[in-house]
Amino acid sequence: MTQEELDALMAEDLSDLGNSIDSIDSIGLEEPNQKEDADTVIQDGGHIVTHDNYRVSSTSAWPPPPPTDDHKVVHQLDDVTKDSEEKATEMFDKLETINGFCLDAEKIANNVKSSLARNIEVFDILHEKFPNVATFSELLELNKNINSNLDDIINSVQMGQDEVMMTMDMMQYQDIHRQKIERVINVMRALSKYMNSLFEGKIDDDKRVGSAIHIEGDTTTEDVVSNADIEALINSLGKK
């Protein structure tokens, strides 16, 4: 509002102007310490918050969190792919270790089984030679039972190895998921670069003219008066 416009306003209705001066404290002024910048957001309650004093509210759907490192989408996805890849490698190492233990157990069980086969052969001969000796019969039956238990142990170890291999195959899906997330990241980055290029201007932002506080047709800024307007108004009153 120019000086000429203010003078014309005063000439039309000086009394109304005096009343407006009396109630000047009630006018919605823009305080310097509440000036919004790129880091300022408005909560649903209407109070101004910045990155430093922002608090997440479970009942507030807007505004979204500020673009700090904890909320940057690409940062979070990069962390997910990195952490999942590291943990997947550790899981594969553990599964290979378990598989190695199973192989060792199977090898030991087969060695014991070979020794038992020799015992069974000897006690079988002794039992045939001395059928009335109960000890030979008992030892023959005992070794046969141990041999049968070893077969069960070997079968269980082999099934454990099969489960380990199937788990490794299932873990391969982690790599597929990582590739899908990386594809999303690449699309988001390409879209970000495209949008930045699309809205790029020839004039630096710090050299642009500030936006008007009130434009005809606005319904929420009709009573907004800037500090410069008030100072000009007071100066004009002093000249009368």
Side-chain angles (χ1 to χ4, degrees):
M1 184 177 290
T2 64
Q3 184 65 42
E4 291 77 5
E5 292 174 341
L6 289 173
D7 292 338
L9 179 62
M10 291 176 58
E12 291 177 0
D13 196 346
L14 184 59
S15 60
D16 291 343
L17 186 57
N19 293 333
S20 66
I21 294 298
D22 294 335
S23 59
I24 195 171
D25 292 336
S26 64
I27 298 177
L29 302 181
E30 181 184 16
E31 297 295 337
N33 59 350
Q34 289 185 337
K35 185 177 181 180
E36 297 181 27
D37 53 23
D39 296 335
T40 302
V41 294
I42 308 298
Q43 292 280 38
D44 288 347
H47 59 279
I48 298 176
V49 294
T50 62
H51 287 182
D52 295 334
N53 62 2
Y54 177 83
R55 294 294 182 271
V56 177
S57 175
S58 59
T59 61
S60 177
W62 186 263
T68 59
D69 289 342
D70 293 337
H71 299 106
K72 291 182 179 179
V73 177
V74 175
H75 283 196
Q76 295 294 309
L77 292 177
D78 286 336
D79 290 340
V80 169
T81 55
K82 179 182 177 182
D83 293 342
S84 61
E85 186 70 17
E86 291 177 353
K87 295 303 180 183
T89 302
E90 294 177 4
M91 287 292 294
F92 275 113
D93 292 340
K94 293 297 183 181
L95 290 173
E96 289 179 358
T97 301
I98 294 173
N99 189 61
F101 288 150
C102 291
L103 290 174
D104 293 340
E106 182 180 4
K107 182 178 180 180
I108 294 172
N110 286 326
N111 291 336
V112 175
K113 187 176 177 64
S114 299
S115 300
L116 281 175
R118 179 60 178 167
N119 289 343
I120 292 173
E121 182 181 352
V122 171
F123 285 118
D124 190 31
I125 294 174
L126 291 174
H127 178 64
E128 290 180 359
K129 292 288 184 178
F130 307 98
N132 295 327
V133 180
T135 302
F136 294 153
S137 177
E138 293 175 357
L139 291 175
L140 176 61
E141 190 65 24
L142 178 62
N143 280 270
K144 287 182 178 179
N145 291 334
I146 294 174
N147 187 67
S148 177
N149 291 334
L150 280 175
D151 288 335
D152 293 337
I153 292 173
I154 292 173
N155 290 333
S156 296
V157 171
Q158 290 176 345
M159 286 189 292
Q161 289 176 293
D162 293 339
E163 292 295 329
V164 169
M165 296 303 297
M166 285 189 291
T167 303
M168 287 184 174
D169 290 338
M170 294 172 64
M171 289 293 294
Q172 296 296 331
Y173 282 97
Q174 183 277 335
D175 185 61
I176 298 176
H177 295 160
R178 177 187 59 80
Q179 295 178 29
K180 289 182 178 180
I181 294 176
E182 288 177 348
R183 177 185 292 175
V184 172
I185 292 174
N186 292 333
V187 172
M188 294 174 65
R189 292 298 300 156
L191 181 60
S192 175
K193 293 179 180 178
Y194 172 75
M195 294 298 291
N196 289 336
S197 177
L198 185 64
F199 292 112
E200 185 179 11
K202 297 181 180 180
I203 304 174
D204 294 337
D205 291 338
D206 55 355
K207 297 180 181 179
R208 292 184 180 277
V209 178
S211 301
I213 297 176
H214 174 73
I215 301 177
E216 184 178 356
D218 292 347
T219 59
T220 59
T221 58
E222 294 178 346
D223 297 329
V224 172
V225 180
S226 66
N227 291 333
D229 293 336
I230 294 175
E231 291 178 1
L233 183 62
I234 294 174
N235 291 333
S236 65
L237 287 174
K239 298 177 181 179
K240 295 296 182 180

